[in-house]
Amino acid sequence: MKTPLRVRDVVSPDDDVSDAAPNGVDDVLAETVEKVEQLVPPHDRRHKLISSDGPTEWLIESARRWVSAMLADEGVHGVIEARSRRTKAEIRSRDDGVLSGVYVADILLREWMPGARFTWTSGEGSNIHAGDCILTIEGCRHQILLCERIILNILGRLSGIATNTAHWVSKSQIPLAATRKTGWGALDKAAVAMGGGLTHRIHRADALMLKENDLASTAEDGDVGPTRVRKVLRDIPLDSIGAFVTVEVRSLDEALAAAESWGERMLEENGKNRLNIMLDNMGPELSRDAVLDIKTRGFREYVTIEASGNITFENLEAWQGSKVDVISTSGLHRATSPLDLTCIFEGV
């Protein structure tokens, strides 16, 4: 049995990513200054899911729960015992794309199909092409027939997300992040990471996110708008924010109030935490105004700025001049078409 441990750091659908050499010293200097000035968003939490050694325990346990649920829906509640008749099958791709879900399907093969022999010919995050064989299984005919559709569903969905994410990433100079609107939770976020996107927070305890309902339930009665944002940010205990803290704002006044309140607090407390300000449904132009106003007032170094809401692949180009640090969109993973895969039995 062979399971590749290859995990790509950055992928694209056509695997044509290249670093073009800048033209002249001025271009090199400008590029260097731009990179230094750009704040690194805290949204890359991939290490919580996948390391250089493979999936983390958190991702493995999530995958086991999903595999068990999918098998239960097929009436399978225990290990699938092998029968005498054996056969061989191949999982092949009908599309070009980015492969994801290898570790999930691998759990199904290893833990539910005793006696089966299998070989992965492509690893997690690899670019695959139409006609490629990505997995060969040799085992009990009964086992393979029971599991073929589940394997195809796992690999198809997660590879579809990785491929779609890579397509988005290839069209954006601004980092792109997933949202909490995931169908398969951590598995979807891992697939986004395989496509070159950022995971955002992995779960609620991973990072504090103060969205509209959180602000409404935390603030005192009567506090609304910028006043509510200021008070909540002044009072939250820093030891409870996790990896980072995000506050959702819906107007220029709220964005400025968030940056000012947080910047002043960090100065008073000599704090090092950066606030992530999520601009919700504010559009490219108003988002750019918010970034420039925050910078003008001297609070840019204390915040990262995220744009979210009503961002589609069709309007992604309009966001490239917004000067935000990261764009989050469920378009990376929600309602994404699966990669077209098929299972072919020997002799067919």
Side-chain angles (χ1 to χ4, degrees):
M1 295 181 288
K2 180 183 177 185
T3 305
L5 294 178
R6 179 187 186 193
V7 177
R8 287 282 196 86
D9 288 328
V10 180
V11 293
S12 71
D14 303 313
D15 200 23
D16 59 356
V17 176
S18 61
D19 295 323
N23 296 320
V25 176
D26 289 343
D27 287 343
V28 173
L29 180 60
E31 182 179 314
T32 302
V33 170
E34 183 179 354
K35 287 182 178 179
V36 170
E37 288 183 344
Q38 184 179 14
L39 294 173
V40 178
H43 301 64
D44 187 0
R45 307 290 293 158
R46 176 177 56 173
H47 67 278
K48 302 286 287 186
L49 301 175
I50 298 176
S51 71
S52 58
D53 296 324
T56 63
E57 192 61 30
W58 181 275
L59 184 59
I60 290 172
E61 289 306 315
S62 178
R64 283 189 174 126
R65 290 190 294 271
W66 281 104
V67 167
S68 295
M70 285 184 271
L71 284 164
D73 284 349
E74 293 292 332
V76 179
H77 302 283
V79 170
I80 306 167
E81 297 298 338
R83 298 178 183 175
S84 58
R85 188 174 178 182
R86 295 180 68 84
T87 190
K88 185 177 181 180
E90 292 182 346
I91 304 294
R92 299 177 188 169
S93 179
R94 289 173 169 163
D95 287 336
D96 294 348
V98 179
L99 180 62
S100 187
V102 168
Y103 297 118
V104 187
D106 199 72
I107 286 173
L108 170 56
L109 293 163
R110 290 181 182 277
E111 299 182 1
W112 292 82
M113 297 173 60
R117 299 175 60 84
F118 56 91
T119 300
W120 293 94
T121 51
S122 296
E124 185 80 5
S126 297
N127 286 339
I128 56 176
H129 304 283
D132 285 355
C133 173
I134 60 178
L135 171 64
T136 300
I137 311 170
E138 184 178 350
C140 164
R141 175 176 174 274
H142 172 67
Q143 289 176 323
I144 300 175
L145 285 172
L146 267 178
C147 295
E148 63 162 323
R149 176 43 53 189
I150 297 174
I151 294 171
L152 291 172
N153 287 346
I154 291 169
L155 296 175
R157 174 188 173 84
L158 298 179
S159 298
I161 290 173
T163 301
N164 183 60
T165 299
H167 186 46
W168 278 67
V169 168
S170 71
K171 301 298 182 181
S172 180
Q173 299 300 311
I174 300 173
L176 302 174
T179 71
R180 60 182 180 169
K181 298 174 183 176
T182 55
W184 287 14
L187 303 190
D188 283 0
K189 287 182 176 284
V192 166
M194 288 302 100
L198 308 179
T199 61
H200 219 300
R201 68 173 182 176
I202 303 301
H203 49 78
R204 191 172 179 84
D206 186 43
L208 178 63
M209 185 178 291
L210 301 169
K211 293 181 72 68
E212 182 68 18
N213 289 336
D214 300 283
L215 292 170
S217 62
T218 303
E220 297 179 6
D221 292 341
D223 287 343
V224 295
T227 300
R228 179 172 66 180
V229 170
R230 283 193 188 94
K231 287 188 176 181
V232 170
L233 291 178
R234 295 290 297 182
D235 292 340
I236 58 171
L238 296 181
D239 58 359
S240 67
I241 64 175
F244 60 95
V245 56
T246 294
V247 62
E248 178 187 77
V249 300
R250 298 185 174 186
S251 69
L252 183 57
D253 286 343
E254 287 185 353
L256 296 175
E260 181 179 18
S261 175
W262 192 260
E264 290 175 350
R265 183 176 178 183
M266 291 299 99
L267 283 170
E268 292 170 6
E269 302 178 12
N270 196 27
K272 302 298 183 183
N273 303 88
R274 280 211 310 266
L275 173 68
N276 182 59
I277 300 177
M278 179 190 290
L279 308 177
D280 184 41
N281 282 297
M282 287 178 57
E285 293 184 6
L286 190 55
S287 294
R288 180 186 174 89
D289 290 344
V291 174
L292 294 176
D293 280 359
I294 289 171
K295 182 177 181 179
T296 299
R297 296 179 188 225
F299 297 111
R300 189 67 175 93
E301 66 182 286
Y302 301 104
V303 300
T304 54
I305 301 177
E306 170 186 348
S308 191
N310 197 31
I311 298 169
T312 65
F313 186 79
E314 288 70 27
N315 68 20
L316 185 59
E317 179 62 31
W319 282 95
Q320 299 308 302
S322 65
K323 292 188 175 295
V324 299
D325 299 305
V326 63
I327 293 170
S328 62
T329 171
S330 60
L332 300 181
H333 47 81
R334 197 176 188 188
T336 298
S337 298
L339 199 69
D340 191 6
L341 305 172
T342 187
C343 181
I344 305 296
F345 277 67
E346 188 175 52
V348 173

